[in-house]
Amino acid sequence: MEKYALITGASGGIGRAISLKLAERGYSLYLHYYQNKEAMDMLMKDLADYKGEFIPIQADLSTAEGYKFLVSNIFSIDVIIHNSGMSHYGLLVDLKQEDMEKLTTTHVISPVMITRELLPKLLAKKDGNIIVISSIWGQTGAACEVAYSTVKGAQISFVKALSKEVALSGIRVNGIAPGAVQTPMMTSFTEDDIENLSEEIPMGKLGQPENIADVVDFLISNKAAYITGQIIPVNGGWYT
């Protein structure tokens, strides 16, 4: 029977790797993106070798209208992967309210409401997986990333709470907390920045998007059938 997964932020580095991994496993995919149409076009081209149905959906998840449009285009679902996000760097005293509102809507309100809207489809099947891609900063916090750490921490609480609510319905909810991962979001870092950062990580290198995708693959498989409510750190030993 054909299985469908929603991946938000599918045009980003981690979202792309997850998309290719799930396509390899035979999933059909709803592929959310916002502005990066070029990256989505490239992903669609790479997915052409797989047999599933691949449906790109453009939506701005920093607005309520965005999540409503997204869920209105989803008809069958087995796996929900909340991966969409935006970064924010700066002192708390310089934080603008509109920036905090965008962060909160993107990372917290939209994932919660998307899940609320799609959850009846999983409950009807008494089966399904929900994965949230959080962050190491949601676990430990980071100076100059207080707002970002706050919303990522909220995602972790969402995972832990929802997992308890739906466990008896056969639905598992887990999260992944990546450390530093080599994605296009790192392009603002200089080579020296990357080298210094790598030296802080016990394994001596940044993670790759495929490292995150492999953990998603495990969590939605039967090998993880007794795992729910967990946050899996994927960080090379950084800040453990």
Side-chain angles (χ1 to χ4, degrees), residues 24-174:
E24 183 181 326
R25 285 197 58 182
Y27 278 85
S28 288
L29 304 175
Y30 296 101
L31 301 165
H32 160 262
Y33 73 105
Y34 175 34
Q35 292 179 313
N36 200 343
K37 187 176 186 305
E38 182 178 354
M40 179 54 64
D41 289 342
M42 290 177 61
L43 175 58
M44 292 295 291
K45 182 178 179 181
D46 291 338
L47 289 169
D49 293 333
Y50 298 97
K51 294 181 179 179
E53 184 179 9
F54 307 114
I55 306 164
I57 305 172
Q58 184 178 23
D60 179 3
L61 297 187
S62 71
T63 69
E65 292 75 18
Y67 89 76
K68 291 175 182 177
F69 178 77
L70 176 62
V71 297
S72 71
N73 284 275
I74 295 174
F75 304 100
S76 180
I77 197 71
D78 299 276
V79 175
I80 302 169
I81 300 172
H82 295 295
N83 171 69
S84 184
M86 60 176 64
S87 60
H88 186 276
Y89 189 85
L91 295 171
L92 181 62
V93 293
D94 296 325
L95 177 66
K96 297 178 181 178
Q97 180 171 332
E98 54 265 36
D99 290 336
M100 189 64 203
E101 289 172 353
K102 278 193 171 185
L103 281 168
T104 304
T105 303
T106 301
H107 293 271
V108 184
I109 296 175
S110 284
V112 170
M113 300 308 288
I114 288 168
T115 304
R116 186 195 73 171
E117 294 296 317
L118 298 181
L119 192 55
K121 298 180 187 298
L122 300 182
L123 292 171
K125 297 179 180 182
K126 295 190 178 299
D127 186 34
N129 276 277
I130 300 168
I131 308 289
V132 178
I133 310 299
S134 182
S135 168
I136 189 173
W137 301 137
Q139 296 180 302
T140 67
C144 296
E145 294 192 63
V146 172
Y148 182 77
S149 299
T150 299
V151 296
K152 286 300 184 179
Q155 289 183 334
I156 289 172
S157 293
F158 172 65
V159 166
K160 291 182 176 295
L162 183 62
S163 66
K164 294 176 174 67
E165 187 166 300
V166 300
L168 287 177
S169 299
I171 300 165
R172 295 188 293 107
V173 187
N174 291 289

